[in-house]
Structure formats: C-alpha cells, structure tokens
Amino acid sequence: MAQSTLLLLHINTSSSPSIFCHSQSPKLSPKFAKPLSVPRLLTARKQRFSSRMDHLHPPNALQGVVLEAIGLLQSPDPTWQSALLNNLLIFVLGSPILVSGLSFPGISAAFVLGTLTWRAFGPFGFLLVAAYFVIGTGVTKVKMAQKEAQGVAEKRKGRRGPGSVIGSSAAACVCAFMSIYGIGGVEVAQLWQLGFVASFCTKLNDTVSSEIGKAYGKTTYLVTTFKVVPRGTEGAVSIEGTLAGFLAAVVLASIGCLMGQINGAEALICVVASQIANFGESIIGAVFQDKEGYQWLNNDVVNVINISIGSILAVLMQQALLQNWQTS
C-alpha cells in the first residue's frame, strides 16, 4: 500500500511540474492580465454606454443640424452663417412689428440689411438698426388719420417699401461692406462704425422731424425763404419737428454709445452731423425737388444724399477733432 502511494505521487509530480515548480508561472486569463487605469476604465465604460444609447436612440441628421444651429447662435464672432441664422430667427419672432412698418418686398430688403449689419458689427449693430426701425415706425403712425386727411401721410399706412429701405440704409451698407472686408485696415475700422451709426442717426432725425412736424407742427416754414407754407411741403421745417428730430438723434446716438459702438465724443458728432445733413436735405428739397428737370430726385434719392452727407460729415469731424487733439 505504501509503495503504491509513493508510485502515484511520483507519477503526479512528473506529469504536472507546474504545480510544484516556480520556474513556470500559471497563465492568467486575458480578462485579468492587465488591470485598466481609472481614466481608461471610465473611458471604456462611457464608450459602452454611448454604444448602448446609440443602439436605443440612433443619431439622426436633424439632431446634428439643431446642434450646429445652436452653436452658430452662440457664436461670439459674427460670421455669414451666424448672421443669417440670427437674422432669420429675429425676423420670424418680430414679424408682427415688421409687417406693421414694411411691405413684404420691404421686409426682404430689410432682411438683407439685417444680415449684412450682423456680419459687420455683430448683435449690437443689429440692435441699433432695430431701435431705429421701431422709433421710426412708431412716429410714422402718429396721427395717421389726420395726415391722410391732409394728404401728407406716407403711402400704404406708413408701410415702407424696398426703395425706402435701400434709400435709408445705402451709406450704412457701404460702411458695413468696408468693415467686413477690412478696407483701410484696423486704423480706420472705427471710422466705418462711426459712419454706420451716424447714417442711422441722420435718417432717424429726418423721419422724426418730418412725421412729428406733419402731426404737431403749428407753423411750417420754407427753409430757404422762411415763408410760411402748408405742412408736408418739400423743404419745409417746423420748430416742433426740428426739436423732435434732434432728440431722436440724441437717443439713437446714446444707444450706440451705451452698446460700445461709439464713444461719447463720437455720439455728439453723430448728433451734430445729423442736424447739418437734415438742414442740407431741406435745402435740396426746397430748391430742386418737384422742379422741372429734377423729376428723378424723388424721396429715396434724397434720402441717399442725406444719410451720405451725415455719415461723411461725422467721419470728417472725428478726424478733424483727433488731429486738433494730437497737435495741441
């Protein structure tokens, strides 16, 4: 019995040396061969979870479009894509206000202006234009029935068409294009922004002075002769309208200043330039408009001349003040 037991032990040790011999280590399962570090373990679990979620809710193209749109809306630097998307969203939300102040072709022209403005000067530039539009539309509606009875109201209940939009924003569009493509370099970048703000201050001054003058002006005078003329006469001015237009320019220039578009001195320049430009427009209206040989000089053309004068004047005044300050 003892001999058989020894024999069995001899057979087992010779056939399974790995149990008693340390020269050969046992083979581990690949599952436990090399433990994962914590970051790698978390990444692996996240990948497994994402794989399961994709299986339950497979991603689609719509989700990608929505995420890309949100990214564009939150983009800190204006691009053509973000300008187009933000403008579209604002136009959809603000459509009741837009329809009250613009014809449908006018809305199309305003959409182009809004996109260009956002691309050039970002959301603050867009807000400046929006403020101009809201104030201008509001004063156009003042005493509309009275203006219509007197034959001095704007056509279509004050809903302006594409010609009016283009005529009111031509100088601003030029400044926006110059800013987008960096014409003149960084040295003149602020001048394009100043010209942009000044053009809308000039146009708002013109719109408010005209509409308030037609609604509340007690006496209107022809600017060239100071002869008393009926309300709505081309080239006519009133104290009430002139004061209201001046205050409107102050408000819009202040908005531009608060939003960082221009500084305090430039805001004052915009107001002064707008007042001079509107005086010049009244002279053009009194001397040339509705006269023989000047039938082409309609309100839209006069608007382009007016806002261009205001924009150019503001830039020249700023440069003159800057040069005077540097030499003193």
Side-chain angles (χ1 to χ4, degrees):
M1 184 67 180
Q3 288 179 353
S4 63
T5 303
L6 290 173
L7 180 61
L8 287 173
L9 287 172
H10 175 71
I11 293 170
N12 287 336
T13 55
S14 61
S15 63
S16 303
S18 60
I19 300 176
F20 301 98
C21 181
H22 295 286
S23 62
Q24 249 184 325
S25 59
K27 292 183 179 180
L28 298 176
S29 171
K31 184 177 180 181
F32 303 100
K34 187 176 181 181
L36 292 174
S37 63
V38 173
R40 291 177 61 195
L41 183 61
L42 291 176
T43 302
R45 289 182 178 177
K46 183 177 179 181
Q47 290 173 347
R48 288 197 297 272
F49 177 77
S50 299
S51 177
R52 291 172 185 170
M53 292 303 295
D54 288 344
H55 177 72
L56 295 174
H57 304 284
N60 53 55
L62 180 60
Q63 290 176 344
V65 170
V66 171
L67 290 175
E68 185 176 355
I70 293 174
L72 286 173
L73 289 172
Q74 297 175 342
S75 175
D77 298 320
T79 62
W80 284 115
Q81 292 86 348
S82 66
L84 185 64
L85 186 59
N86 279 287
N87 200 36
L88 179 62
L89 178 62
I90 293 170
F91 266 59
V92 170
L93 296 176
S95 56
I97 300 176
L98 290 169
V99 171
S100 68
L102 296 170
S103 66
F104 287 108
I107 291 175
S108 300
F111 185 83
V112 175
L113 169 63
T115 303
L116 184 62
T117 298
W118 193 293
R119 174 62 182 85
F121 304 114
F124 292 129
F126 188 94
L127 286 173
L128 183 85
V129 179
Y132 153 78
F133 174 76
V134 170
I135 297 172
T137 301
V139 296
T140 302
K141 303 293 185 182
V142 172
K143 290 195 173 184
M144 178 59 73
Q146 173 187 304
K147 294 174 187 175
E148 287 178 332
Q150 295 174 347
V152 296
E154 291 289 329
K155 299 177 182 178
R156 300 181 295 270
K157 297 286 185 180
R159 297 176 67 212
R160 302 179 188 271
S164 179
V165 174
I166 296 170
S168 301
S169 62
C173 289
V174 171
C175 291
F177 271 115
M178 295 296 188
S179 178
I180 291 170
Y181 295 105
I183 305 300
V186 294
E187 294 82 5
V188 300
Q190 180 57 29
L191 293 181
W192 301 132
Q193 193 150 299
L194 172 62
F196 175 84
V197 176
S199 70
F200 282 108
C201 287
T202 302
K203 183 53 192 158
L204 186 63
N205 189 327
D206 172 44
T207 300
V208 172
S209 62
S210 176
E211 296 299 331
I212 295 300
K214 288 186 288 188
Y216 296 104
K218 294 180 180 179
T219 307
T220 51
Y221 305 90
L222 197 64
V223 71
T224 52
T225 63
F226 290 99
K227 178 183 177 181
V228 177
V229 292
R231 293 177 182 176
T233 302
E234 296 295 345
V237 296
S238 67
I239 295 175
E240 295 83 359
T242 301
L243 180 60
F246 176 81
L247 292 176
V250 170
V251 170
L252 195 63
S254 299
I255 292 174
C257 183
L258 290 173
M259 292 190 300
Q261 296 268 291
I262 53 177
N263 58 38
E266 290 170 338
L268 180 60
I269 288 173
C270 287
V271 173
V272 174
S274 72
Q275 201 66 34
I276 296 173
N278 275 293
F279 182 73
E281 187 215 28
S282 297
I283 294 175
I284 293 173
V287 175
F288 300 107
Q289 211 166 353
D290 294 336
K291 301 297 190 297
E292 185 67 28
Y294 293 96
Q295 288 80 5
W296 56 270
L297 195 65
N298 58 26
N299 285 336
D300 295 334
V301 175
V302 173
N303 282 335
V304 173
I305 297 172
N306 180 31
I307 61 175
S308 298
I309 292 173
S311 184
I312 293 170
L313 268 178
V315 171
L316 293 177
M317 290 170 66
Q318 192 262 14
Q319 288 296 287
L321 288 174
L322 181 61
Q323 186 176 4
N324 184 56
W325 178 77
Q326 290 175 341
T327 55
S328 61

PDB file of all heavy atoms in Angstrom, residues 78-80 83 112-122 172-185 188-189 192-193 196:
ATOM      1  N   PRO A  78     -19.129  87.172 -35.233  1.00  0.00           N
ATOM      2  CA  PRO A  78     -20.117  87.088 -36.314  1.00  0.00           C
ATOM      3  C   PRO A  78     -19.528  86.503 -37.585  1.00  0.00           C
ATOM      4  O   PRO A  78     -18.434  86.874 -38.006  1.00  0.00           O
ATOM      5  CB  PRO A  78     -20.555  88.541 -36.508  1.00  0.00           C
ATOM      6  CG  PRO A  78     -19.432  89.365 -35.963  1.00  0.00           C
ATOM      7  CD  PRO A  78     -18.837  88.566 -34.859  1.00  0.00           C
ATOM      8  N   THR A  79     -20.246  85.572 -38.178  1.00  0.00           N
ATOM      9  CA  THR A  79     -19.901  85.005 -39.480  1.00  0.00           C
ATOM     10  C   THR A  79     -21.131  85.153 -40.372  1.00  0.00           C
ATOM     11  O   THR A  79     -22.212  85.513 -39.912  1.00  0.00           O
ATOM     12  CB  THR A  79     -19.521  83.523 -39.362  1.00  0.00           C
ATOM     13  OG1 THR A  79     -20.672  82.786 -38.862  1.00  0.00           O
ATOM     14  CG2 THR A  79     -18.355  83.331 -38.391  1.00  0.00           C
ATOM     15  N   TRP A  80     -20.972  84.853 -41.655  1.00  0.00           N
ATOM     16  CA  TRP A  80     -22.129  84.933 -42.549  1.00  0.00           C
ATOM     17  C   TRP A  80     -23.204  83.946 -42.115  1.00  0.00           C
ATOM     18  O   TRP A  80     -24.404  84.257 -42.158  1.00  0.00           O
ATOM     19  CB  TRP A  80     -21.704  84.653 -43.984  1.00  0.00           C
ATOM     20  CG  TRP A  80     -20.986  85.791 -44.642  1.00  0.00           C
ATOM     21  CD1 TRP A  80     -19.685  85.820 -45.068  1.00  0.00           C
ATOM     22  CD2 TRP A  80     -21.534  87.081 -44.980  1.00  0.00           C
ATOM     23  NE1 TRP A  80     -19.393  87.039 -45.632  1.00  0.00           N
ATOM     24  CE2 TRP A  80     -20.499  87.832 -45.602  1.00  0.00           C
ATOM     25  CE3 TRP A  80     -22.788  87.667 -44.816  1.00  0.00           C
ATOM     26  CZ2 TRP A  80     -20.688  89.133 -46.048  1.00  0.00           C
ATOM     27  CZ3 TRP A  80     -22.986  88.970 -45.267  1.00  0.00           C
ATOM     28  CH2 TRP A  80     -21.949  89.683 -45.872  1.00  0.00           C
ATOM     29  N   ALA A  83     -24.839  85.245 -38.878  1.00  0.00           N
ATOM     30  CA  ALA A  83     -25.627  86.437 -39.195  1.00  0.00           C
ATOM     31  C   ALA A  83     -26.947  86.047 -39.861  1.00  0.00           C
ATOM     32  O   ALA A  83     -28.010  86.573 -39.513  1.00  0.00           O
ATOM     33  CB  ALA A  83     -24.826  87.359 -40.111  1.00  0.00           C
ATOM     34  N   VAL A 112     -31.897  91.578 -45.924  1.00  0.00           N
ATOM     35  CA  VAL A 112     -30.530  91.698 -46.451  1.00  0.00           C
ATOM     36  C   VAL A 112     -29.725  92.690 -45.603  1.00  0.00           C
ATOM     37  O   VAL A 112     -28.573  92.423 -45.242  1.00  0.00           O
ATOM     38  CB  VAL A 112     -30.555  92.139 -47.927  1.00  0.00           C
ATOM     39  CG1 VAL A 112     -29.144  92.385 -48.442  1.00  0.00           C
ATOM     40  CG2 VAL A 112     -31.260  91.091 -48.781  1.00  0.00           C
ATOM     41  N   LEU A 113     -30.345  93.824 -45.281  1.00  0.00           N
ATOM     42  CA  LEU A 113     -29.677  94.822 -44.447  1.00  0.00           C
ATOM     43  C   LEU A 113     -29.331  94.246 -43.078  1.00  0.00           C
ATOM     44  O   LEU A 113     -28.216  94.456 -42.570  1.00  0.00           O
ATOM     45  CB  LEU A 113     -30.579  96.048 -44.284  1.00  0.00           C
ATOM     46  CG  LEU A 113     -30.150  97.081 -43.232  1.00  0.00           C
ATOM     47  CD1 LEU A 113     -28.807  97.712 -43.595  1.00  0.00           C
ATOM     48  CD2 LEU A 113     -31.210  98.156 -43.067  1.00  0.00           C
ATOM     49  N   GLY A 114     -30.272  93.512 -42.473  1.00  0.00           N
ATOM     50  CA  GLY A 114     -30.027  92.937 -41.147  1.00  0.00           C
ATOM     51  C   GLY A 114     -28.894  91.929 -41.146  1.00  0.00           C
ATOM     52  O   GLY A 114     -28.064  91.910 -40.243  1.00  0.00           O
ATOM     53  N   THR A 115     -28.862  91.087 -42.165  1.00  0.00           N
ATOM     54  CA  THR A 115     -27.787  90.090 -42.266  1.00  0.00           C
ATOM     55  C   THR A 115     -26.437  90.773 -42.437  1.00  0.00           C
ATOM     56  O   THR A 115     -25.441  90.395 -41.796  1.00  0.00           O
ATOM     57  CB  THR A 115     -28.058  89.143 -43.451  1.00  0.00           C
ATOM     58  OG1 THR A 115     -29.335  88.523 -43.287  1.00  0.00           O
ATOM     59  CG2 THR A 115     -26.972  88.070 -43.538  1.00  0.00           C
ATOM     60  N   LEU A 116     -26.398  91.764 -43.298  1.00  0.00           N
ATOM     61  CA  LEU A 116     -25.152  92.498 -43.529  1.00  0.00           C
ATOM     62  C   LEU A 116     -24.697  93.220 -42.261  1.00  0.00           C
ATOM     63  O   LEU A 116     -23.504  93.213 -41.925  1.00  0.00           O
ATOM     64  CB  LEU A 116     -25.367  93.495 -44.656  1.00  0.00           C
ATOM     65  CG  LEU A 116     -24.150  94.315 -45.118  1.00  0.00           C
ATOM     66  CD1 LEU A 116     -23.074  93.402 -45.666  1.00  0.00           C
ATOM     67  CD2 LEU A 116     -24.575  95.335 -46.174  1.00  0.00           C
ATOM     68  N   THR A 117     -25.638  93.808 -41.555  1.00  0.00           N
ATOM     69  CA  THR A 117     -25.314  94.527 -40.318  1.00  0.00           C
ATOM     70  C   THR A 117     -24.761  93.592 -39.262  1.00  0.00           C
ATOM     71  O   THR A 117     -23.764  93.897 -38.598  1.00  0.00           O
ATOM     72  CB  THR A 117     -26.565  95.248 -39.785  1.00  0.00           C
ATOM     73  OG1 THR A 117     -27.004  96.214 -40.731  1.00  0.00           O
ATOM     74  CG2 THR A 117     -26.270  95.940 -38.462  1.00  0.00           C
ATOM     75  N   TRP A 118     -25.401  92.429 -39.086  1.00  0.00           N
ATOM     76  CA  TRP A 118     -24.934  91.469 -38.076  1.00  0.00           C
ATOM     77  C   TRP A 118     -23.537  90.968 -38.428  1.00  0.00           C
ATOM     78  O   TRP A 118     -22.684  90.832 -37.549  1.00  0.00           O
ATOM     79  CB  TRP A 118     -25.899  90.297 -37.979  1.00  0.00           C
ATOM     80  CG  TRP A 118     -25.668  89.427 -36.768  1.00  0.00           C
ATOM     81  CD1 TRP A 118     -24.587  88.623 -36.512  1.00  0.00           C
ATOM     82  CD2 TRP A 118     -26.522  89.305 -35.627  1.00  0.00           C
ATOM     83  NE1 TRP A 118     -24.711  87.990 -35.297  1.00  0.00           N
ATOM     84  CE2 TRP A 118     -25.896  88.397 -34.727  1.00  0.00           C
ATOM     85  CE3 TRP A 118     -27.746  89.854 -35.284  1.00  0.00           C
ATOM     86  CZ2 TRP A 118     -26.462  88.044 -33.515  1.00  0.00           C
ATOM     87  CZ3 TRP A 118     -28.314  89.497 -34.070  1.00  0.00           C
ATOM     88  CH2 TRP A 118     -27.673  88.596 -33.199  1.00  0.00           C
ATOM     89  N   ARG A 119     -23.294  90.693 -39.701  1.00  0.00           N
ATOM     90  CA  ARG A 119     -21.973  90.205 -40.108  1.00  0.00           C
ATOM     91  C   ARG A 119     -20.899  91.244 -39.866  1.00  0.00           C
ATOM     92  O   ARG A 119     -19.767  90.911 -39.480  1.00  0.00           O
ATOM     93  CB  ARG A 119     -22.015  89.818 -41.594  1.00  0.00           C
ATOM     94  CG  ARG A 119     -20.669  89.422 -42.180  1.00  0.00           C
ATOM     95  CD  ARG A 119     -20.097  88.201 -41.495  1.00  0.00           C
ATOM     96  NE  ARG A 119     -18.797  87.854 -42.026  1.00  0.00           N
ATOM     97  CZ  ARG A 119     -17.644  88.378 -41.618  1.00  0.00           C
ATOM     98  NH1 ARG A 119     -17.644  89.287 -40.662  1.00  0.00           N
ATOM     99  NH2 ARG A 119     -16.504  87.998 -42.154  1.00  0.00           N
ATOM    100  N   ALA A 120     -21.222  92.526 -40.088  1.00  0.00           N
ATOM    101  CA  ALA A 120     -20.214  93.578 -39.964  1.00  0.00           C
ATOM    102  C   ALA A 120     -20.007  94.022 -38.524  1.00  0.00           C
ATOM    103  O   ALA A 120     -18.867  94.150 -38.056  1.00  0.00           O
ATOM    104  CB  ALA A 120     -20.612  94.779 -40.821  1.00  0.00           C
ATOM    105  N   PHE A 121     -21.098  94.264 -37.793  1.00  0.00           N
ATOM    106  CA  PHE A 121     -20.999  94.906 -36.476  1.00  0.00           C
ATOM    107  C   PHE A 121     -21.607  94.089 -35.339  1.00  0.00           C
ATOM    108  O   PHE A 121     -21.731  94.590 -34.225  1.00  0.00           O
ATOM    109  CB  PHE A 121     -21.650  96.298 -36.530  1.00  0.00           C
ATOM    110  CG  PHE A 121     -21.070  97.184 -37.583  1.00  0.00           C
ATOM    111  CD1 PHE A 121     -21.827  97.591 -38.680  1.00  0.00           C
ATOM    112  CD2 PHE A 121     -19.745  97.602 -37.512  1.00  0.00           C
ATOM    113  CE1 PHE A 121     -21.297  98.410 -39.665  1.00  0.00           C
ATOM    114  CE2 PHE A 121     -19.199  98.412 -38.501  1.00  0.00           C
ATOM    115  CZ  PHE A 121     -19.973  98.814 -39.567  1.00  0.00           C
ATOM    116  N   GLY A 122     -21.997  92.844 -35.635  1.00  0.00           N
ATOM    117  CA  GLY A 122     -22.476  91.959 -34.588  1.00  0.00           C
ATOM    118  C   GLY A 122     -23.854  92.330 -34.057  1.00  0.00           C
ATOM    119  O   GLY A 122     -24.569  93.166 -34.626  1.00  0.00           O
ATOM    120  N   ALA A 172     -25.047 103.135 -44.751  1.00  0.00           N
ATOM    121  CA  ALA A 172     -24.742 102.128 -43.729  1.00  0.00           C
ATOM    122  C   ALA A 172     -24.236 100.844 -44.364  1.00  0.00           C
ATOM    123  O   ALA A 172     -23.313 100.196 -43.841  1.00  0.00           O
ATOM    124  CB  ALA A 172     -25.986 101.852 -42.883  1.00  0.00           C
ATOM    125  N   CYS A 173     -24.832 100.451 -45.496  1.00  0.00           N
ATOM    126  CA  CYS A 173     -24.389  99.238 -46.185  1.00  0.00           C
ATOM    127  C   CYS A 173     -22.962  99.386 -46.696  1.00  0.00           C
ATOM    128  O   CYS A 173     -22.164  98.434 -46.639  1.00  0.00           O
ATOM    129  CB  CYS A 173     -25.336  98.916 -47.337  1.00  0.00           C
ATOM    130  SG  CYS A 173     -26.959  98.329 -46.811  1.00  0.00           S
ATOM    131  N   VAL A 174     -22.633 100.561 -47.210  1.00  0.00           N
ATOM    132  CA  VAL A 174     -21.260 100.809 -47.671  1.00  0.00           C
ATOM    133  C   VAL A 174     -20.284 100.673 -46.505  1.00  0.00           C
ATOM    134  O   VAL A 174     -19.238 100.011 -46.612  1.00  0.00           O
ATOM    135  CB  VAL A 174     -21.146 102.200 -48.318  1.00  0.00           C
ATOM    136  CG1 VAL A 174     -19.678 102.550 -48.597  1.00  0.00           C
ATOM    137  CG2 VAL A 174     -21.949 102.256 -49.605  1.00  0.00           C
ATOM    138  N   CYS A 175     -20.612 101.280 -45.378  1.00  0.00           N
ATOM    139  CA  CYS A 175     -19.751 101.183 -44.188  1.00  0.00           C
ATOM    140  C   CYS A 175     -19.618  99.734 -43.719  1.00  0.00           C
ATOM    141  O   CYS A 175     -18.538  99.303 -43.302  1.00  0.00           O
ATOM    142  CB  CYS A 175     -20.314 102.045 -43.064  1.00  0.00           C
ATOM    143  SG  CYS A 175     -20.226 103.829 -43.356  1.00  0.00           S
ATOM    144  N   ALA A 176     -20.722  98.984 -43.787  1.00  0.00           N
ATOM    145  CA  ALA A 176     -20.688  97.579 -43.368  1.00  0.00           C
ATOM    146  C   ALA A 176     -19.767  96.761 -44.267  1.00  0.00           C
ATOM    147  O   ALA A 176     -18.954  95.960 -43.780  1.00  0.00           O
ATOM    148  CB  ALA A 176     -22.101  97.006 -43.376  1.00  0.00           C
ATOM    149  N   PHE A 177     -19.877  96.940 -45.577  1.00  0.00           N
ATOM    150  CA  PHE A 177     -19.000  96.214 -46.510  1.00  0.00           C
ATOM    151  C   PHE A 177     -17.539  96.578 -46.278  1.00  0.00           C
ATOM    152  O   PHE A 177     -16.657  95.706 -46.297  1.00  0.00           O
ATOM    153  CB  PHE A 177     -19.398  96.524 -47.952  1.00  0.00           C
ATOM    154  CG  PHE A 177     -20.445  95.606 -48.514  1.00  0.00           C
ATOM    155  CD1 PHE A 177     -21.695  96.083 -48.864  1.00  0.00           C
ATOM    156  CD2 PHE A 177     -20.174  94.262 -48.684  1.00  0.00           C
ATOM    157  CE1 PHE A 177     -22.659  95.244 -49.382  1.00  0.00           C
ATOM    158  CE2 PHE A 177     -21.131  93.397 -49.194  1.00  0.00           C
ATOM    159  CZ  PHE A 177     -22.381  93.899 -49.547  1.00  0.00           C
ATOM    160  N   MET A 178     -17.266  97.849 -46.072  1.00  0.00           N
ATOM    161  CA  MET A 178     -15.895  98.283 -45.817  1.00  0.00           C
ATOM    162  C   MET A 178     -15.341  97.629 -44.554  1.00  0.00           C
ATOM    163  O   MET A 178     -14.177  97.235 -44.495  1.00  0.00           O
ATOM    164  CB  MET A 178     -15.854  99.805 -45.685  1.00  0.00           C
ATOM    165  CG  MET A 178     -16.204 100.571 -46.940  1.00  0.00           C
ATOM    166  SD  MET A 178     -15.009 100.290 -48.276  1.00  0.00           S
ATOM    167  CE  MET A 178     -15.576 101.504 -49.473  1.00  0.00           C
ATOM    168  N   SER A 179     -16.192  97.518 -43.543  1.00  0.00           N
ATOM    169  CA  SER A 179     -15.763  96.908 -42.281  1.00  0.00           C
ATOM    170  C   SER A 179     -15.532  95.409 -42.433  1.00  0.00           C
ATOM    171  O   SER A 179     -14.548  94.863 -41.930  1.00  0.00           O
ATOM    172  CB  SER A 179     -16.815  97.175 -41.198  1.00  0.00           C
ATOM    173  OG  SER A 179     -16.464  96.559 -39.985  1.00  0.00           O
ATOM    174  N   ILE A 180     -16.434  94.728 -43.133  1.00  0.00           N
ATOM    175  CA  ILE A 180     -16.322  93.276 -43.302  1.00  0.00           C
ATOM    176  C   ILE A 180     -15.025  92.902 -44.004  1.00  0.00           C
ATOM    177  O   ILE A 180     -14.322  91.969 -43.594  1.00  0.00           O
ATOM    178  CB  ILE A 180     -17.533  92.736 -44.086  1.00  0.00           C
ATOM    179  CG1 ILE A 180     -18.806  92.839 -43.241  1.00  0.00           C
ATOM    180  CG2 ILE A 180     -17.302  91.291 -44.524  1.00  0.00           C
ATOM    181  CD1 ILE A 180     -20.079  92.545 -44.009  1.00  0.00           C
ATOM    182  N   TYR A 181     -14.686  93.618 -45.051  1.00  0.00           N
ATOM    183  CA  TYR A 181     -13.511  93.270 -45.859  1.00  0.00           C
ATOM    184  C   TYR A 181     -12.260  94.045 -45.457  1.00  0.00           C
ATOM    185  O   TYR A 181     -11.251  94.007 -46.156  1.00  0.00           O
ATOM    186  CB  TYR A 181     -13.834  93.469 -47.335  1.00  0.00           C
ATOM    187  CG  TYR A 181     -14.906  92.505 -47.807  1.00  0.00           C
ATOM    188  CD1 TYR A 181     -16.203  92.945 -48.033  1.00  0.00           C
ATOM    189  CD2 TYR A 181     -14.630  91.153 -47.962  1.00  0.00           C
ATOM    190  CE1 TYR A 181     -17.200  92.062 -48.434  1.00  0.00           C
ATOM    191  CE2 TYR A 181     -15.612  90.261 -48.364  1.00  0.00           C
ATOM    192  CZ  TYR A 181     -16.886  90.723 -48.594  1.00  0.00           C
ATOM    193  OH  TYR A 181     -17.873  89.837 -48.982  1.00  0.00           O
ATOM    194  N   GLY A 182     -12.343  94.746 -44.320  1.00  0.00           N
ATOM    195  CA  GLY A 182     -11.164  95.388 -43.753  1.00  0.00           C
ATOM    196  C   GLY A 182     -10.534  96.446 -44.625  1.00  0.00           C
ATOM    197  O   GLY A 182      -9.303  96.595 -44.617  1.00  0.00           O
ATOM    198  N   ILE A 183     -11.352  97.177 -45.369  1.00  0.00           N
ATOM    199  CA  ILE A 183     -10.811  98.224 -46.232  1.00  0.00           C
ATOM    200  C   ILE A 183     -10.192  99.319 -45.367  1.00  0.00           C
ATOM    201  O   ILE A 183     -10.835  99.863 -44.484  1.00  0.00           O
ATOM    202  CB  ILE A 183     -11.916  98.829 -47.127  1.00  0.00           C
ATOM    203  CG1 ILE A 183     -12.621  97.731 -47.928  1.00  0.00           C
ATOM    204  CG2 ILE A 183     -11.336  99.885 -48.042  1.00  0.00           C
ATOM    205  CD1 ILE A 183     -11.723  96.952 -48.835  1.00  0.00           C
ATOM    206  N   GLY A 184      -8.924  99.620 -45.631  1.00  0.00           N
ATOM    207  CA  GLY A 184      -8.230 100.637 -44.862  1.00  0.00           C
ATOM    208  C   GLY A 184      -7.504 100.102 -43.645  1.00  0.00           C
ATOM    209  O   GLY A 184      -6.755 100.837 -43.000  1.00  0.00           O
ATOM    210  N   GLY A 185      -7.731  98.830 -43.304  1.00  0.00           N
ATOM    211  CA  GLY A 185      -7.039  98.233 -42.167  1.00  0.00           C
ATOM    212  C   GLY A 185      -7.667  98.607 -40.838  1.00  0.00           C
ATOM    213  O   GLY A 185      -8.704  99.282 -40.757  1.00  0.00           O
ATOM    214  N   VAL A 188      -8.677 102.402 -39.651  1.00  0.00           N
ATOM    215  CA  VAL A 188      -9.922 103.101 -39.990  1.00  0.00           C
ATOM    216  C   VAL A 188     -11.161 102.271 -39.674  1.00  0.00           C
ATOM    217  O   VAL A 188     -12.278 102.661 -40.046  1.00  0.00           O
ATOM    218  CB  VAL A 188      -9.931 103.502 -41.484  1.00  0.00           C
ATOM    219  CG1 VAL A 188      -8.787 104.426 -41.807  1.00  0.00           C
ATOM    220  CG2 VAL A 188      -9.887 102.269 -42.376  1.00  0.00           C
ATOM    221  N   ALA A 189     -10.993 101.150 -38.999  1.00  0.00           N
ATOM    222  CA  ALA A 189     -12.141 100.283 -38.700  1.00  0.00           C
ATOM    223  C   ALA A 189     -13.201 101.023 -37.898  1.00  0.00           C
ATOM    224  O   ALA A 189     -14.402 100.888 -38.157  1.00  0.00           O
ATOM    225  CB  ALA A 189     -11.672  99.041 -37.951  1.00  0.00           C
ATOM    226  N   TRP A 192     -15.538 103.332 -39.981  1.00  0.00           N
ATOM    227  CA  TRP A 192     -16.674 102.695 -40.655  1.00  0.00           C
ATOM    228  C   TRP A 192     -17.831 102.524 -39.677  1.00  0.00           C
ATOM    229  O   TRP A 192     -18.997 102.706 -40.047  1.00  0.00           O
ATOM    230  CB  TRP A 192     -16.265 101.344 -41.234  1.00  0.00           C
ATOM    231  CG  TRP A 192     -15.138 101.384 -42.222  1.00  0.00           C
ATOM    232  CD1 TRP A 192     -14.029 100.587 -42.241  1.00  0.00           C
ATOM    233  CD2 TRP A 192     -15.007 102.259 -43.356  1.00  0.00           C
ATOM    234  NE1 TRP A 192     -13.215 100.911 -43.295  1.00  0.00           N
ATOM    235  CE2 TRP A 192     -13.791 101.941 -44.001  1.00  0.00           C
ATOM    236  CE3 TRP A 192     -15.794 103.292 -43.883  1.00  0.00           C
ATOM    237  CZ2 TRP A 192     -13.360 102.599 -45.137  1.00  0.00           C
ATOM    238  CZ3 TRP A 192     -15.353 103.955 -45.016  1.00  0.00           C
ATOM    239  CH2 TRP A 192     -14.154 103.605 -45.638  1.00  0.00           C
ATOM    240  N   GLN A 193     -17.512 102.188 -38.458  1.00  0.00           N
ATOM    241  CA  GLN A 193     -18.563 102.030 -37.453  1.00  0.00           C
ATOM    242  C   GLN A 193     -19.194 103.371 -37.108  1.00  0.00           C
ATOM    243  O   GLN A 193     -20.416 103.468 -36.928  1.00  0.00           O
ATOM    244  CB  GLN A 193     -17.974 101.373 -36.196  1.00  0.00           C
ATOM    245  CG  GLN A 193     -19.018 100.878 -35.212  1.00  0.00           C
ATOM    246  CD  GLN A 193     -18.521  99.683 -34.423  1.00  0.00           C
ATOM    247  OE1 GLN A 193     -18.198  98.636 -34.979  1.00  0.00           O
ATOM    248  NE2 GLN A 193     -18.459  99.823 -33.120  1.00  0.00           N
ATOM    249  N   PHE A 196     -21.468 104.315 -39.894  1.00  0.00           N
ATOM    250  CA  PHE A 196     -22.671 103.477 -39.811  1.00  0.00           C
ATOM    251  C   PHE A 196     -23.673 104.069 -38.829  1.00  0.00           C
ATOM    252  O   PHE A 196     -24.856 104.254 -39.161  1.00  0.00           O
ATOM    253  CB  PHE A 196     -22.251 102.068 -39.388  1.00  0.00           C
ATOM    254  CG  PHE A 196     -23.382 101.112 -39.153  1.00  0.00           C
ATOM    255  CD1 PHE A 196     -23.945 100.424 -40.216  1.00  0.00           C
ATOM    256  CD2 PHE A 196     -23.858 100.884 -37.875  1.00  0.00           C
ATOM    257  CE1 PHE A 196     -24.991  99.528 -39.999  1.00  0.00           C
ATOM    258  CE2 PHE A 196     -24.900  99.997 -37.649  1.00  0.00           C
ATOM    259  CZ  PHE A 196     -25.461  99.314 -38.724  1.00  0.00           C
TER     260      PHE A 196
END
